[in-house]
Amino acid sequence: MKMAYNKFDNYYGFEEFEDFYSIHYSINNNISNSIEAFVLKSEFTPAYELTLKGVDLYEIRSSTFKESSDFKNKSFKKFGTIAEISEQEFKASSKNQIGEALVKNPNIQLQDGNWVYIENGRKEVITQHENISTETGPLANEYVGQSPFLNLEVFKENSDEVVDSFYSFYSIKNAVMFELGTEGYPQILPTKGWVTSVSSNNDVGSNFVISKYFPQTKKQDNLLYVNFTNFKIADNKKAFWTDNDTFYAEVYPLNSASVNGKKQKAAYIKIQLKANLF
Protein backbone atom coordinates (compact mmCIF):
# COMPACT_ATOMS: atom_id res chain seq x y z
CA MET A 1 0.00 0.00 0.00
CA LYS A 2 1.37 3.38 -1.03
CA MET A 3 -0.07 6.73 -0.03
CA ALA A 4 0.94 10.38 -0.21
CA TYR A 5 2.86 11.62 2.81
CA ASN A 6 1.05 14.01 5.13
CA LYS A 7 2.88 15.44 8.13
CA PHE A 8 -0.27 14.93 10.20
CA ASP A 9 -0.45 11.20 9.42
CA ASN A 10 0.86 9.09 12.26
CA TYR A 11 1.70 5.54 13.32
CA TYR A 12 0.04 4.95 16.67
CA GLY A 13 -0.06 1.16 17.07
CA PHE A 14 2.30 -1.72 16.43
CA GLU A 15 1.95 -5.47 16.96
CA GLU A 16 4.32 -8.30 16.16
CA PHE A 17 3.23 -11.70 14.85
CA GLU A 18 5.20 -14.73 13.67
CA ASP A 19 5.94 -13.60 10.10
CA PHE A 20 4.59 -10.04 9.92
CA TYR A 21 3.87 -6.80 11.76
CA SER A 22 0.48 -5.15 12.20
CA ILE A 23 0.74 -1.36 11.92
CA HIS A 24 -2.06 1.02 12.88
CA TYR A 25 -1.88 4.23 10.87
CA SER A 26 -4.05 7.31 11.48
CA ILE A 27 -4.91 9.66 8.62
CA ASN A 28 -4.58 13.38 9.33
CA ASN A 29 -3.90 12.56 12.99
CA ASN A 30 -7.45 11.27 13.38
CA ILE A 31 -7.64 7.87 15.07
CA SER A 32 -11.26 7.39 13.96
CA ASN A 33 -9.93 7.54 10.39
CA SER A 34 -7.35 4.75 10.54
CA ILE A 35 -5.88 1.93 8.52
CA GLU A 36 -4.41 -1.33 9.81
CA ALA A 37 -1.67 -2.60 7.51
CA PHE A 38 0.00 -6.01 7.65
CA VAL A 39 3.66 -5.94 6.60
CA LEU A 40 6.07 -8.85 6.19
CA LYS A 41 8.96 -8.70 8.61
CA SER A 42 11.35 -8.83 5.67
CA GLU A 43 9.88 -5.53 4.40
CA PHE A 44 9.85 -3.48 7.59
CA THR A 45 12.34 -2.53 10.31
CA PRO A 46 10.74 -1.71 13.69
CA ALA A 47 12.09 1.22 15.69
CA TYR A 48 13.80 -0.97 18.28
CA GLU A 49 15.82 -2.74 15.56
CA LEU A 50 17.31 0.41 14.03
CA THR A 51 21.11 0.69 13.95
CA LEU A 52 23.73 3.20 12.81
CA LYS A 53 24.35 1.26 9.59
CA GLY A 54 24.52 3.70 6.69
CA VAL A 55 24.31 6.74 8.99
CA ASP A 56 26.64 9.70 8.37
CA LEU A 57 28.03 10.23 11.87
CA TYR A 58 30.03 13.27 10.72
CA GLU A 59 26.90 15.28 9.85
CA ILE A 60 26.35 18.29 12.12
CA ARG A 61 23.84 21.12 12.12
CA SER A 62 26.13 23.76 13.60
CA SER A 63 29.24 24.27 15.71
CA THR A 64 30.91 26.88 17.87
CA PHE A 65 34.69 26.88 18.11
CA LYS A 66 36.25 29.27 20.64
CA GLU A 67 33.19 31.56 20.62
CA SER A 68 32.99 31.58 16.80
CA SER A 69 29.71 30.05 15.57
CA ASP A 70 29.48 28.26 12.22
CA PHE A 71 26.12 27.37 10.64
CA LYS A 72 27.50 26.65 7.16
CA ASN A 73 29.92 23.79 7.74
CA LYS A 74 27.94 20.54 8.10
CA SER A 75 30.77 18.14 8.90
CA PHE A 76 32.72 17.28 12.04
CA LYS A 77 35.87 16.57 9.98
CA LYS A 78 37.37 20.01 10.72
CA PHE A 79 37.52 19.04 14.41
CA GLY A 80 38.41 15.34 14.29
CA THR A 81 37.06 11.89 13.52
CA ILE A 82 34.01 9.98 14.69
CA ALA A 83 33.25 6.29 14.19
CA GLU A 84 31.03 3.52 15.48
CA ILE A 85 32.81 0.91 17.61
CA SER A 86 31.80 -2.38 19.18
CA GLU A 87 30.42 -2.73 22.70
CA GLN A 88 33.52 -4.78 23.54
CA GLU A 89 35.85 -1.94 22.53
CA PHE A 90 33.70 0.53 24.46
CA LYS A 91 33.89 -1.53 27.65
CA ALA A 92 37.61 -2.20 27.27
CA SER A 93 38.35 1.50 26.71
CA SER A 94 36.32 2.47 29.78
CA LYS A 95 39.05 0.93 31.94
CA ASN A 96 41.38 3.70 30.77
CA GLN A 97 39.10 6.68 31.39
CA ILE A 98 40.77 9.75 32.86
CA GLY A 99 37.78 11.78 34.01
CA GLU A 100 37.31 12.87 37.61
CA ALA A 101 34.93 10.86 39.78
CA LEU A 102 32.40 12.94 41.71
CA VAL A 103 32.42 12.12 45.43
CA LYS A 104 29.73 12.69 48.05
CA ASN A 105 30.35 15.50 50.53
CA PRO A 106 29.12 14.35 53.96
CA ASN A 107 28.30 17.96 54.84
CA ILE A 108 25.58 17.99 52.16
CA GLN A 109 22.41 16.54 53.69
CA LEU A 110 18.73 16.29 52.83
CA GLN A 111 16.51 17.87 55.47
CA ASP A 112 12.75 18.45 55.18
CA GLY A 113 12.89 18.14 51.40
CA ASN A 114 15.78 20.61 51.02
CA TRP A 115 19.47 20.03 50.42
CA VAL A 116 21.52 21.84 53.06
CA TYR A 117 25.21 22.38 53.74
CA ILE A 118 26.11 21.88 57.42
CA GLU A 119 29.56 22.46 58.92
CA ASN A 120 30.84 23.96 62.21
CA GLY A 121 27.43 25.29 63.15
CA ARG A 122 26.85 26.87 59.75
CA LYS A 123 23.75 25.81 57.84
CA GLU A 124 22.98 26.92 54.28
CA VAL A 125 20.01 25.85 52.16
CA ILE A 126 21.00 25.02 48.56
CA THR A 127 18.14 26.17 46.32
CA GLN A 128 17.83 25.22 42.69
CA HIS A 129 19.44 27.76 40.39
CA GLU A 130 16.14 28.15 38.48
CA ASN A 131 13.43 28.12 41.12
CA ILE A 132 10.54 27.62 38.72
CA SER A 133 7.12 26.17 39.55
CA THR A 134 5.47 24.03 36.88
CA GLU A 135 1.98 22.62 36.43
CA THR A 136 3.14 19.38 38.01
CA GLY A 137 4.94 21.04 40.89
CA PRO A 138 8.32 22.70 41.53
CA LEU A 139 11.55 21.57 39.97
CA ALA A 140 13.46 19.01 42.01
CA ASN A 141 17.21 18.77 42.57
CA GLU A 142 19.24 15.67 43.33
CA TYR A 143 22.70 15.75 44.87
CA VAL A 144 25.29 14.10 42.62
CA GLY A 145 28.59 14.81 44.37
CA GLN A 146 31.56 17.12 44.68
CA SER A 147 34.21 17.85 42.07
CA PRO A 148 37.48 17.89 44.07
CA PHE A 149 39.25 19.67 41.18
CA LEU A 150 36.67 22.46 40.89
CA ASN A 151 35.77 22.42 44.60
CA LEU A 152 32.14 22.72 43.56
CA GLU A 153 29.04 20.72 44.52
CA VAL A 154 27.08 19.21 41.62
CA PHE A 155 23.31 18.78 41.57
CA LYS A 156 21.02 17.27 38.96
CA GLU A 157 17.96 19.41 38.31
CA ASN A 158 14.81 17.63 37.18
CA SER A 159 11.32 18.57 36.07
CA ASP A 160 8.34 16.33 35.38
CA GLU A 161 7.64 18.40 32.27
CA VAL A 162 11.12 18.14 30.75
CA VAL A 163 12.80 14.86 29.79
CA ASP A 164 16.34 16.23 29.87
CA SER A 165 18.07 17.20 33.11
CA PHE A 166 20.44 20.06 33.90
CA TYR A 167 23.53 19.79 36.11
CA SER A 168 24.27 22.76 38.36
CA PHE A 169 27.60 23.50 40.07
CA TYR A 170 27.59 25.41 43.37
CA SER A 171 30.31 27.03 45.46
CA ILE A 172 29.52 26.78 49.19
CA LYS A 173 32.78 28.07 50.69
CA ASN A 174 31.47 31.49 51.70
CA ALA A 175 27.89 31.50 50.48
CA VAL A 176 25.90 29.20 48.24
CA MET A 177 26.54 30.52 44.73
CA PHE A 178 25.68 28.98 41.35
CA GLU A 179 28.89 28.90 39.29
CA LEU A 180 28.25 26.94 36.08
CA GLY A 181 26.12 24.22 34.56
CA THR A 182 26.04 21.48 31.94
CA GLU A 183 23.16 19.97 29.99
CA GLY A 184 24.49 16.44 30.39
CA TYR A 185 26.30 14.56 33.14
CA PRO A 186 29.68 16.34 33.52
CA GLN A 187 32.89 14.62 32.50
CA ILE A 188 35.66 16.65 34.18
CA LEU A 189 39.32 16.44 33.16
CA PRO A 190 41.58 18.04 35.81
CA THR A 191 44.69 17.58 33.63
CA LYS A 192 43.17 19.89 31.02
CA GLY A 193 40.84 21.95 33.20
CA TRP A 194 37.94 20.81 31.04
CA VAL A 195 34.26 20.50 31.95
CA THR A 196 32.56 18.51 29.18
CA SER A 197 29.24 16.82 28.52
CA VAL A 198 27.05 15.16 25.91
CA SER A 199 23.26 15.32 25.83
CA SER A 200 20.40 14.75 23.44
CA ASN A 201 19.29 17.94 21.73
CA ASN A 202 15.61 18.77 22.20
CA ASP A 203 15.40 19.66 18.51
CA VAL A 204 17.92 17.65 16.49
CA GLY A 205 20.42 14.94 17.43
CA SER A 206 22.94 15.49 20.22
CA ASN A 207 25.12 18.17 21.77
CA PHE A 208 28.84 17.72 22.44
CA VAL A 209 30.34 20.46 24.62
CA ILE A 210 33.86 21.23 25.87
CA SER A 211 34.54 24.17 28.20
CA LYS A 212 37.65 25.20 30.11
CA TYR A 213 37.01 26.38 33.67
CA PHE A 214 39.38 28.47 35.76
CA PRO A 215 38.69 27.86 39.49
CA GLN A 216 40.76 30.84 40.64
CA THR A 217 38.83 33.41 38.61
CA LYS A 218 35.63 31.35 38.20
CA LYS A 219 35.71 32.17 34.50
CA GLN A 220 34.80 29.78 31.73
CA ASP A 221 36.03 29.60 28.14
CA ASN A 222 33.74 27.77 25.73
CA LEU A 223 36.11 25.76 23.55
CA LEU A 224 33.80 23.64 21.39
CA TYR A 225 30.10 23.01 20.84
CA VAL A 226 28.90 20.60 18.16
CA ASN A 227 25.31 19.64 17.33
CA PHE A 228 25.45 16.16 15.77
CA THR A 229 22.29 15.39 13.78
CA ASN A 230 22.09 11.60 13.35
CA PHE A 231 22.12 10.08 16.84
CA LYS A 232 20.81 10.61 20.35
CA ILE A 233 22.72 10.07 23.61
CA ALA A 234 21.67 6.93 25.47
CA ASP A 235 23.17 7.27 28.97
CA ASN A 236 25.37 10.36 29.31
CA LYS A 237 26.78 9.08 32.63
CA LYS A 238 28.50 6.30 30.68
CA ALA A 239 30.41 8.70 28.43
CA PHE A 240 34.12 9.12 29.17
CA TRP A 241 37.49 10.44 28.01
CA THR A 242 40.72 8.47 27.60
CA ASP A 243 44.22 9.65 26.65
CA ASN A 244 44.94 11.52 23.42
CA ASP A 245 41.75 13.59 23.38
CA THR A 246 39.56 10.57 22.74
CA PHE A 247 35.92 10.50 23.83
CA TYR A 248 33.46 7.61 23.97
CA ALA A 249 29.68 7.60 24.31
CA GLU A 250 26.72 5.24 24.20
CA VAL A 251 24.12 6.42 21.66
CA TYR A 252 20.87 5.47 19.94
CA PRO A 253 20.00 5.75 16.25
CA LEU A 254 17.99 8.91 15.68
CA ASN A 255 14.51 7.40 15.29
CA SER A 256 14.90 4.31 17.45
CA ALA A 257 12.46 3.61 20.27
CA SER A 258 11.37 0.85 22.60
CA VAL A 259 8.23 -0.96 21.44
CA ASN A 260 6.00 -3.30 23.43
CA GLY A 261 8.66 -3.92 26.06
CA LYS A 262 11.46 -4.50 23.54
CA LYS A 263 14.45 -2.28 24.23
CA GLN A 264 16.03 -0.23 21.47
CA LYS A 265 19.53 -1.21 20.41
CA ALA A 266 22.37 0.86 21.84
CA ALA A 267 25.36 1.77 19.69
CA TYR A 268 28.78 3.12 20.66
CA ILE A 269 30.84 5.91 19.17
CA LYS A 270 34.44 7.07 19.43
CA ILE A 271 35.39 10.71 18.87
CA GLN A 272 39.04 11.57 18.27
CA LEU A 273 39.83 15.29 18.35
CA LYS A 274 42.59 16.64 16.14
CA ALA A 275 45.92 17.06 17.86
CA ASN A 276 46.46 20.57 19.23
CA LEU A 277 42.91 21.58 18.33
CA PHE A 278 42.79 24.07 21.19
Side-chain angles (χ1 to χ4, degrees):
M1 180 185 69
K2 292 184 178 180
M3 39 191 315
Y5 171 73
N6 184 315
K7 66 180 180 180
F8 294 111
D9 295 346
N10 183 41
Y11 293 109
Y12 69 90
F14 180 90
E15 295 179 79
E16 181 177 358
F17 296 92
E18 185 174 347
D19 297 318
F20 58 88
Y21 300 110
S22 168
I23 302 170
H24 298 264
Y25 190 78
S26 68
I27 308 301
N28 202 31
N29 204 26
N30 183 356
I31 291 181
S32 64
N33 184 16
S34 301
I35 294 172
E36 181 179 13
F38 295 90
V39 184
L40 288 172
K41 287 186 174 180
S42 60
E43 302 295 327
F44 185 83
T45 303
Y48 61 85
E49 289 286 351
L50 291 174
T51 68
L52 292 180
K53 183 178 180 181
V55 170
D56 181 6
L57 297 177
Y58 281 90
E59 182 181 290
I60 64 176
R61 182 170 64 167
S62 65
S63 63
T64 302
F65 181 68
K66 294 183 178 180
E67 310 292 347
S68 177
S69 296
D70 185 350
F71 296 94
K72 294 182 179 179
N73 175 60
K74 303 298 182 180
S75 174
F76 183 71
K77 290 181 180 179
K78 64 184 292 187
F79 304 116
T81 62
I82 178 171
E84 182 179 9
I85 61 171
S86 67
E87 182 179 8
Q88 291 75 19
E89 181 179 345
F90 181 83
K91 289 182 176 179
S93 299
S94 70
K95 298 176 182 178
N96 300 318
Q97 57 184 288
I98 59 174
E100 178 185 56
L102 301 179
V103 295
K104 298 287 186 179
N105 183 344
N107 295 323
I108 304 291
Q109 301 176 18
L110 185 62
Q111 293 187 352
D112 300 323
N114 294 313
W115 289 103
V116 297
Y117 170 73
I118 302 174
E119 185 178 27
N120 298 327
R122 175 188 166 200
K123 181 177 178 179
E124 296 271 2
V125 177
I126 303 171
T127 58
Q128 199 146 355
H129 99 283
E130 288 191 45
N131 192 16
I132 303 171
S133 293
T134 68
E135 292 180 0
T136 55
L139 296 173
N141 56 3
E142 171 190 344
Y143 181 52
V144 178
Q146 182 190 70
S147 164
F149 168 69
L150 300 176
N151 194 26
L152 297 176
E153 307 294 338
V154 183
F155 287 79
K156 180 182 180 182
E157 302 189 357
N158 305 284
S159 168
D160 291 339
E161 294 183 345
V162 180
V163 175
D164 299 324
S165 301
F166 183 82
Y167 291 84
S168 300
F169 296 67
Y170 293 88
S171 170
I172 57 175
K173 185 175 181 181
N174 298 313
V176 176
M177 296 289 293
F178 172 75
E179 297 290 348
L180 76 155
T182 60
E183 291 181 355
Y185 187 88
Q187 290 86 34
I188 302 169
L189 276 65
T191 55
K192 295 178 177 289
W194 286 2
V195 179
T196 74
S197 69
V198 286
S199 60
S200 292
N201 186 293
N202 289 329
D203 189 12
V204 176
S206 305
N207 296 330
F208 176 55
V209 181
I210 302 175
S211 299
K212 188 173 180 65
Y213 185 74
F214 302 91
Q216 295 79 11
T217 60
K218 301 189 182 305
K219 290 184 178 181
Q220 179 180 347
D221 285 350
N222 296 318
L223 300 179
L224 179 65
Y225 162 81
V226 176
N227 178 196
F228 290 102
T229 59
N230 283 327
F231 57 85
K232 294 283 189 180
I233 301 301
D235 184 347
N236 52 35
K237 289 184 67 175
K238 292 182 179 180
F240 59 90
W241 290 89
T242 61
D243 292 330
N244 303 319
D245 298 340
T246 307
F247 185 78
Y248 297 81
E250 180 181 342
V251 303
Y252 286 134
L254 195 60
N255 296 316
S256 71
S258 299
V259 177
N260 293 339
K262 293 196 174 184
K263 294 178 64 177
Q264 61 205 115
K265 288 185 176 181
Y268 305 89
I269 59 167
K270 173 182 177 181
I271 295 174
Q272 178 77 53
L273 297 179
K274 288 185 176 181
N276 304 315
L277 181 63
F278 305 115

